[in-house]
Amino acid sequence: MKTKILLALSVIAISCKKETKTEIETLQVTTKDTVKVSVKEEPKTQETDTITISTKHKTNKILCDLDGDQLDETVEIARSTKNQKSGLKITYGNGKRTDYLGFGNDILQQGFDEIDWAGIFEKAPKNEIYFNNVNEDGEIIGEEDIKEEDKIKLPNDGIFIHAEESCGGGIIYLKDGKYNWIQQE
């Protein structure tokens, strides 16, 4: 009789182990399913920036041939909706390139990151001669004090921006595919 009871208990113990093992396997599958559900969360949308044409500036758009390909670039004063800073949006005439200057990024290492101050915005015609008219000490200098080799004859059109009622501004022009600045007080 003792043998029958021992045999019955062994069968029950083995059956319990199998059931336990089956429950653990089921639990593992449920855990994997739960992980898959949490991965299916909606992706977060990124904050986008929109550039809108400035309504603050009397003239907010000019056409000029910066790269000399006989196609006019469209240069617009625009504003970022993300940081509310202004800048220049330059769309090339061939449609292959659009550049942005400003909009919170330093413009050509000149110490400003937007151009709200620009009251004058116009084309600087090619073949005109310009020069930086401020010396290293910040003093305004006349043309007679400029060496001939420091004078710049624009190979193509440039962009003239200047404060309307005070000193300050300059010309942005393209040379060897890179934007440059000529200080004009």
Side-chain angles (χ1 to χ4, degrees):
M1 175 79 143
K2 283 184 177 180
T3 310
K4 287 183 179 178
I5 293 175
L6 264 165
L7 186 59
L9 286 174
S10 296
V11 170
I12 291 172
I14 291 171
S15 296
C16 288
K17 283 185 180 178
K18 286 184 180 175
E19 287 178 28
T20 305
K21 187 176 182 182
T22 304
E23 286 176 15
I24 290 172
E25 288 174 0
T26 303
L27 181 61
Q28 288 175 345
V29 170
T30 305
T31 304
K32 287 181 181 175
D33 289 345
T34 304
V35 170
K36 287 181 181 176
V37 170
S38 66
V39 171
K40 292 182 181 179
E41 291 178 14
E42 284 188 35
K44 294 180 181 178
T45 56
Q46 293 181 342
E47 186 178 340
T48 59
D49 192 6
T50 302
I51 304 296
T52 58
I53 302 304
S54 174
T55 55
K56 176 182 177 177
H57 295 86
K58 182 178 173 183
T59 301
N60 59 13
K61 177 180 174 179
I62 61 171
L63 300 175
C64 58
D65 184 12
L66 295 173
D67 58 2
D69 66 357
Q70 308 306 312
L71 298 172
D72 278 340
E73 279 65 62
T74 303
V75 183
E76 299 170 295
I77 298 177
R79 179 170 300 285
S80 162
T81 59
K82 188 174 183 179
N83 65 14
Q84 299 303 311
K85 295 211 174 194
S86 62
L88 297 177
K89 177 184 176 189
I90 305 169
T91 307
Y92 280 77
N94 62 14
K96 294 181 181 178
R97 175 175 162 187
T98 300
D99 291 335
Y100 300 90
L101 300 177
F103 303 104
N105 297 306
D106 189 48
I107 299 175
L108 305 173
Q109 296 83 40
Q110 295 303 306
F112 55 90
D113 64 358
E114 69 173 338
I115 60 166
D116 272 354
W117 53 267
I120 301 171
F121 174 59
E122 56 192 39
K123 176 171 92 173
K126 72 178 183 177
N127 296 323
E128 293 291 319
I129 296 175
Y130 296 95
F131 51 89
N132 289 308
N133 65 356
V134 177
N135 67 17
E136 294 170 358
D137 297 323
E139 298 170 347
I140 297 175
I141 53 177
E143 185 174 358
E144 64 278 355
D145 296 325
I146 304 295
K147 297 176 186 173
E148 278 305 310
E149 62 266 16
D150 291 336
K151 294 180 181 180
I152 301 164
K153 182 177 182 180
L154 288 184
N156 302 305
D157 296 333
I159 304 163
F160 180 74
I161 55 176
H162 205 274
E164 197 163 30
E165 294 185 18
S166 65
C167 293
I171 297 168
I172 297 170
Y173 70 102
L174 201 61
K175 180 179 179 186
D176 300 325
K178 183 178 176 185
Y179 292 103
N180 292 280
W181 177 265
I182 301 171
Q183 185 67 34
Q184 293 283 289
E185 294 297 324

